[in-house]
Amino acid sequence: MRGVKNFFVFIKDPPVWFIAAWLVLTLAAIGGSIAAVVLAEGAAWAAALYAAAAVTLAYSVYLTVKCAPKIKQSAIKTLEKRKFSAALLHDFGFRTLTFAVVASIINAAYVAVNGASAIIYGSVWYASMTAYYLALALLRGGVLYADRRVKRQLADGEPERAKHKIYLGCGIALLVLEFALIAAVTQLVMDEEHARTGLIFAISLAAYSFYKLIIAIVNMVRAKRYSDPAVQCFRNINLVDALVSLLSLEVTMIATQGGSMPVMTAVSGAAVSAFNMILGVIMIVQAARALKREK
């Protein structure tokens, strides 16, 4: 009886190593079930594999809910042992700048995919998007470079006025970029044949676009508590990036289905462009006021 009781106590609150091993087992069981559906549907061993996948998945859900705080605490303790990961964990500004570098690398790959799509499908729209995302990548890099220079100046006793100049320049750049987006949308509305693309690219774009939108919204909420102008710049650039990606996704889905919806494309393009232009104007006004106060 004691052995059974100890077993249930262990199952109720297992150690971290067991949780990790069980999650790996769950993924293996799910993968095996998917393979069984394709290769041996109806076989006896396949039914046993389905049952194993169901049991492991059910217990994994319990572990996720029950042991999430323990896993989180263990991960935090591990991350805090190293300087870089500790700063990444507790310093929102450092985390934002670090993720901005990662986002720039991912964005470079995204630019390459758009460029390839433009060449393969002869798409003027994706050529325009390639240029637009490349401009956003350069803007991210410019803000990151300027922020590092400003931090060195502050270490030498220079005033913080330069930070607001970064914010002002970012706002002007976003405003100018939206005129290019308006031109691209206008050209698309006049000739939607230039938006041809493939199904695989459309599915990939959908997943990436929604991911960017979720991350941009989360960072926008968090950045409100952080007054660093560079962090605010990255927050706004990411939001603009996500909204334009959603517009590109809409165009892609319409083109994939072989349809033509110029009115919907025009309205969506105007809405995204207007929002991004207003955001740029707000940044310019905020930076101008801050610079005026510091005179």
Side-chain angles (χ1 to χ4, degrees):
M1 290 295 294
R2 177 176 294 181
V4 175
K5 183 178 180 180
N6 290 339
F7 173 76
F8 281 109
V9 170
F10 180 87
I11 292 298
K12 183 179 179 181
D13 192 17
V16 174
W17 67 265
F18 181 82
I19 296 173
W22 188 270
L23 292 177
V24 172
L25 178 63
T26 301
L27 292 175
I30 293 173
S33 298
I34 295 173
V37 170
V38 177
L39 301 175
E41 186 176 3
W45 64 268
L49 193 56
Y50 300 152
V55 172
T56 54
L57 181 59
Y59 186 55
S60 293
V61 172
Y62 165 79
L63 290 176
T64 302
V65 176
K66 172 71 177 179
C67 303
K70 180 187 292 187
I71 297 173
K72 180 179 178 180
Q73 291 176 2
S74 177
I76 289 175
K77 288 181 180 179
T78 302
L79 291 173
E80 287 178 338
K81 292 179 181 179
R82 302 185 182 278
K83 184 178 180 180
F84 175 82
S85 56
L88 198 64
L89 186 64
H90 297 296
D91 188 337
F92 180 75
F94 178 77
R95 183 165 65 249
T96 299
L97 296 178
T98 302
F99 286 160
V101 174
V102 175
S104 297
I105 296 173
I106 297 174
N107 192 72
Y110 190 57
V111 168
V113 171
N114 274 274
S117 183
I119 295 171
I120 293 171
Y121 300 105
S123 172
V124 176
W125 168 253
Y126 286 107
S128 301
M129 288 296 94
T130 300
Y132 188 90
Y133 290 126
L134 180 60
L136 285 182
L138 293 175
L139 181 56
R140 281 193 184 95
V143 172
L144 186 63
Y145 174 75
D147 181 65
R148 293 189 64 179
R149 288 196 61 183
V150 167
K151 285 181 177 179
R152 287 198 293 267
Q153 292 174 359
L154 292 177
D156 296 333
E158 295 290 333
E160 295 191 14
R161 184 179 176 84
K163 284 188 174 184
H164 296 292
K165 289 184 178 180
I166 295 174
Y167 196 68
L168 175 64
C170 184
I172 294 173
L174 288 179
L175 185 61
V176 172
L177 271 176
E178 294 320 303
F179 288 105
L181 180 62
I182 291 173
V185 172
T186 302
Q187 184 181 41
L188 178 66
V189 170
M190 295 174 63
D191 185 8
E192 289 199 355
E193 288 297 318
H194 289 306
R196 292 191 305 271
T197 187
L199 181 60
I200 295 177
F201 179 73
I203 295 173
S204 303
L205 180 61
Y208 186 53
S209 297
F210 283 109
Y211 163 77
K212 285 201 295 186
L213 181 62
I214 292 171
I215 295 299
I217 293 174
V218 171
N219 288 336
M220 181 178 65
V221 173
R222 290 179 176 175
K224 286 182 178 180
R225 303 190 299 268
Y226 203 83
S227 59
D228 191 310
V231 173
Q232 299 290 334
C233 285
F234 288 122
R235 177 202 69 177
N236 294 342
I237 292 171
N238 291 338
L239 182 59
V240 167
D241 189 357
L243 291 176
V244 174
S245 293
L246 285 180
L247 174 62
S248 184
L249 173 60
E250 177 188 303
V251 171
T252 300
M253 298 307 292
I254 294 173
T256 303
Q257 298 300 320
S260 177
M261 302 178 68
V263 175
M264 182 176 178
T265 302
V267 171
S268 300
V272 171
S273 298
F275 180 89
N276 293 347
M277 291 180 74
I278 291 172
L279 182 61
V281 171
I282 290 174
M283 292 177 68
I284 293 171
V285 172
Q286 289 176 337
R289 288 177 177 174
L291 290 171
K292 187 177 180 178
R293 286 195 302 266
E294 293 178 2
K295 281 186 177 180

